[in-house]
Amino acid sequence: MLTIDKQFNAIKRGTLEIVPEEGLKAKLKKAQETGNPLKIKLGLDPTAPYIHLGHAVVLRKIRQFQDLGHEVYIIIGDFTASIGDPSGKSVTRPQLTAEEIAANAKTYYDQYCMILDPAKTKVVFNSEWLGPLKFADVIKIVSKVTVARILERDDFEKRLSEGRPISMHELLYPVCQAYDSVFLHSDVELGGTDQKFNILMGRDLQTQYGQEEQVGLFMPILPGLDGVQKMSKSLGNYVGITEPPKDMFGKIMSLSDEMMPTYFELCTDVPMEEVESIKAGLTNGTVHPMDTKKRLAREIVTMYHSAEEAAQAQAEFERVFSQHEIPTDMPELKLSDELTDGKVWIVKMLVMAGMVPSNSEARRLVQQGAVSIDGEKVSDPSANIEVKDGQVLRAGKLKFARLTL
RNA sequence: GGGGGGAUGCCCGAGUGGUUAAAGGGGGCAGACUGUAAAUCUGUUGGCGAUGCCUACAUAGGUUCAAAUCCUAUUCCCCCCA
């Protein structure tokens, strides 16, 4: 058994803040003494069922708790989804049907299992306890929270002062989330910094209900591949945990150098001392950035696939980009039905290969000199190409297809 | 309930009768440079086998030789007063 301090330090890695740190230590201690596991809470929005490295940061932290023997409750916020966490951007959210939520939850579950221990994970829906509440119950709950307290929330405060609208139901969102904590008697709630207000609200409400307050554990928001905005699918700057090794490796290699230490810390299990020395090495130039990035990519691919696949992905990467050779495997494009006098229009090929969405886009690529066949540039958008079996069509740096007849 | 403002391409945002497929910026894509990086520079960014044609400025009609721009109705959003 690890000492409390060691447990605490392991958990602390990568966290932005633990509120309060002493509270967590006390809980860990109590759990060890009594043998009762802590209840770890994580709320998830059921609307976006695609898990990427950004989500993984929090999930991996949760996994650590499991490894220490604690119980994890994943709360699917199906009830609260009908409110939507107030952001001021989209006040109204599309209502999901029960089927959609169930389907999303299932997809989620399949992906969690890549990170979490399914045996120690309980998935619950907050509609289960929020749904049956009567209006009188709601008033009772709400009476424990003051308006001033609610309006402290950045987003509300800002909107209020800017004269932008705030709907009543939005005020209820943090309360609902806090009530989840009360209902579950949670000991620790994890979330991104954007969850700070809601999680602290949970502490307040638990106190009101005479419960021991939960500890808030905040993880940083992982910046996306662009290094600027948070990782999100809709921004396209993400690495999905179910992506093929090759894609995962390639995407990580496209990170900017400055992002590397952050990714090492939040996305891998490389010991912190080593992360620090890598960081120092990068700063004083004793460590080669590209090698380091390859290491990073390898660590991450290994985590979600395997060491062999990671090695293969790296070999492939080096082959294509360092030695400028073509990839070993690529999609095939069957052209036998498209031949006219043994020729195929270049634009048509690109569209058929799925490399571009439209003929116009294909023309543009050709005109810009991004298209080649067997290394020979095609620059005329109206060209009809005489195709030979096995030739390689390339568009831009990343898109390849083998032509077959 | 009354008064006012607004809805433009992936996003932001100009444009108030005619060289407007629509300025500018962001983002994306491509090229150069590289370490498939970042930064920078350049080009490009509705569709169509295409020196032209079609579709687009919330929706539906209308005026006009000509509309994103004017008129009418509809939908949605915001602000102020009550």
Side-chain angles (χ1 to χ4, degrees), chain A residues 8 11 18 20-28 65 188 215 217:
Chain A
F8 178 81
I11 289 168
I18 297 174
E21 294 199 355
E22 288 312 311
L24 180 59
K25 281 184 188 165
K27 279 182 186 278
L28 288 172
F65 278 103
V188 178
V215 171
L217 195 151

Side-chain angles (χ1 to χ4, degrees), chain A residues 189-191 195-203 214 216 218:
Chain A
E189 178 166 1
L190 280 83
Q195 289 299 310
K196 194 160 187 178
F197 183 86
N198 299 342
I199 291 174
L200 294 181
M201 178 63 70
R203 283 170 60 81
Q214 66 183 4
F218 303 100

Side-chain angles (χ1 to χ4, degrees), chain A residues 320-341:
Chain A
V320 176
F321 297 105
S322 306
Q323 291 158 41
H324 304 290
E325 288 177 32
I326 55 171
T328 47
D329 62 304
M330 64 184 93
E332 292 201 345
L333 178 63
K334 195 166 180 298
L335 292 170
S336 43
D337 301 335
E338 303 299 328
L339 295 175
T340 311
D341 298 334

Side-chain angles (χ1 to χ4, degrees), chain A residues 12-16 53-61 218-223 259-270 272 275 296 300 303-304:
Chain A
K12 194 175 175 185
R13 168 182 179 155
T15 58
L16 215 56
L53 292 182
H55 300 117
V57 171
V58 181
L59 290 172
R60 279 163 37 76
K61 185 55 65 184
F218 303 100
M219 299 302 294
I221 304 286
L222 183 72
M259 299 305 300
M260 287 197 280
T262 306
Y263 271 63
F264 266 112
E265 181 176 358
L266 297 177
C267 302
T268 75
D269 290 321
V270 175
M272 276 316 280
V275 176
L296 175 66
I300 293 174
M303 188 171 294
Y304 299 104

